[in-house]
Structure formats: C-alpha cells, structure tokens
Amino acid sequence: GPGDLEGSGTLPDADLALLREHFYGDPFVVQEDLTVGGYVVSDDRAGNFFRSFIIDDGSGAVEIRAGFYDLHAYCQRGRRIVIHARGLAVGMYNGVVQLGAGVNDWSAYRVEEFGSRVLLDRCMERDTLFREVPPLEPGIGGLEERYCGRLVRIAEVCRSGGPVTWAESGRPATGTVWFRDAAGDSVAVVTSGYASFAGDTVPAGRVTLTGILMYGKFGGTREVFALKLRDGNDVEM
C-alpha cells in the first residue's frame, strides 16, 4: 500500500512467506540477493522473549536471532525493519521461521545468533516508519502451521488445565497452561519463568489471549499449537 513507500528504508523485494515456502526441514544459507522486511511485533521488555524479536509483513513472520539484550530499545515494537538476507541462515524452531548469522549443527535452534548489534547492523536497516500489525483471529479450530510466528488473537477461552500461575517465577522452566473454547478446541500458552508476569495468577473466567503462535511439543509428547504472550497486557478479561 501507499504507506509502505514512506520512511527511509529500502523496499523489500520478497515476502517473508517466501522463507517458509523454501524451508524443507534443514537450515540453509541464502545464496542470492534477497531483501525482506516487516514490522516488529514482539520484544524482550517483559522477559518472555529471549534475545530475539519477530517481524511480520502481512504474509508471514520471521524471528530475528539477535543474540543480545534490551532489544525493546533497539527495535521498538511497531518499527519497520528491513533485512538483507544474502549470507544469512534460515531455520525453524517450534514452527517459527528464523533468520540468523549462520547454521549451528549443535544447537536445537540450528541457527546462530548474531551476538552483537554491530553484526546485526551490517544486514539490517531500522526504518523511521512505525505501524501496528493487527493480529490474526482464526479461532483455535482455524489455526494452521503457516501462521506460526505471527500475532494471533483468540477470544472467549477458559483455563482448562495446567498451573494456577503462568509459570514458576524466576526459574528457567517453561510453564504451560491450557485454554479451551466453547467448541472444545484447546490451545496452550507457554511462558518463561523469567517473564515479568510469570508469577501472576491465571484468570479463572473467560479471557481473550493475544500472542505469537508456535507449534511444537509443549507439556506433552504430541505437537500442539501454543501462544507466547508478549506481556501481561496480552490477556484481556
């Protein structure tokens, strides 16, 4: 749209959805000139996202494996980001496409962090344009793996299982709380023990949840859809 021509950054020449379409199970390094971009939809301010942030361009989303702290000050939520992807590694973790500095065969994430702002600045532009990305609202029954990494809003759900707080505050373990809608469909909410709201009590009544969609083995042996909240404001009562 016309708004995409504003700001100071380079215009992307490909959609973020392209990275998912070209991922076939193993991390790979982009060999051609490729420019992608999107608006920041997650940050580390509340501690539930660790040294990474996610951008969304309306077609898909990608997690940038930054590898350093205080990203909420460096890449504020809503800021337009442009990535020059040639030489970068593309991977996937919990259904979310990742971009990083290289391939790491020894890590579950399989994509290396950049590790410093200097390295990330070499391939990334921070535009002056800001825009709020509206969440998708497919309902639990309409969730699909291609939505992973994107901001999703799920209305009118109740807690159906898991701990009474989002996680055990101050511990590295991830808390998993289950929610169910009126149709009986369920979704998990996963929260780091380091999140600022980890020790908050999970509401007992109906709530609306907004978070980054993931797909993986959360609190069990089968793969399920899960949301990762950005902060306590992502829970509406």
Side-chain angles (χ1 to χ4, degrees):
D4 294 325
L5 301 178
E6 302 170 3
S8 60
T10 305
L11 290 177
D13 56 23
D15 291 334
L16 289 176
L18 182 72
L19 298 179
R20 176 176 291 275
E21 292 170 6
H22 284 77
F23 185 83
Y24 300 109
D26 292 311
F28 65 92
V29 175
V30 178
Q31 301 294 340
E32 62 276 355
D33 290 331
L34 182 69
T35 303
V36 294
Y39 296 87
V40 178
V41 292
S42 77
D43 57 42
D44 59 356
R45 183 183 295 275
N48 206 26
F49 287 83
F50 182 66
R51 304 203 309 189
S52 71
F53 61 94
I54 292 177
I55 61 174
D56 187 320
D57 70 350
S59 75
V62 169
E63 179 184 7
I64 309 300
R65 296 269 289 157
F68 53 95
Y69 299 98
D70 295 326
L71 291 167
H72 60 276
Y74 173 62
C75 292
Q76 301 91 338
R77 199 182 298 179
R79 180 187 283 274
R80 181 173 177 264
I81 298 296
V82 177
I83 301 287
H84 301 276
R86 184 182 180 92
L88 303 185
V90 179
M92 185 179 290
Y93 186 72
N94 285 338
V96 181
V97 177
Q98 298 178 320
L99 267 175
V103 176
N104 185 344
D105 290 331
W106 301 101
S107 168
Y109 284 88
R110 302 294 298 278
V111 172
E112 291 276 7
E113 295 178 335
F114 288 93
S116 76
R117 175 173 171 173
V118 173
L119 292 178
L120 187 54
D121 278 343
R122 292 178 181 176
C123 61
M124 188 179 82
E125 299 177 37
R126 294 181 300 150
D127 202 348
T128 58
L129 185 62
F130 282 76
R131 179 176 297 165
E132 182 178 348
V133 177
L136 302 173
E137 299 190 48
I140 298 177
L143 295 176
E144 300 180 27
E145 288 186 57
R146 64 189 177 97
Y147 298 150
C148 285
R150 303 195 66 185
L151 197 60
V152 171
R153 183 175 185 267
I154 298 177
E156 295 295 306
V157 292
C158 291
R159 175 181 172 272
S160 60
V164 296
T165 60
W166 296 106
E168 189 173 349
S169 182
R171 296 179 62 85
T174 298
T176 303
V177 181
W178 289 91
F179 287 83
R180 181 175 297 163
D181 63 13
D185 294 321
S186 297
V187 66
V189 172
V190 296
T191 305
S192 166
Y194 294 123
S196 61
F197 57 94
D200 292 352
T201 301
V202 179
R206 291 190 178 277
V207 295
T208 294
L209 304 170
T210 301
I212 300 298
L213 184 66
M214 304 182 295
Y215 184 73
K217 295 178 180 179
F218 303 106
T221 58
R222 64 188 183 92
E223 293 187 318
V224 297
F225 285 109
L227 292 180
K228 193 171 190 179
L229 310 180
R230 298 167 299 173
D231 53 46
N233 294 325
D234 280 337
V235 182
E236 304 170 51
M237 291 179 280

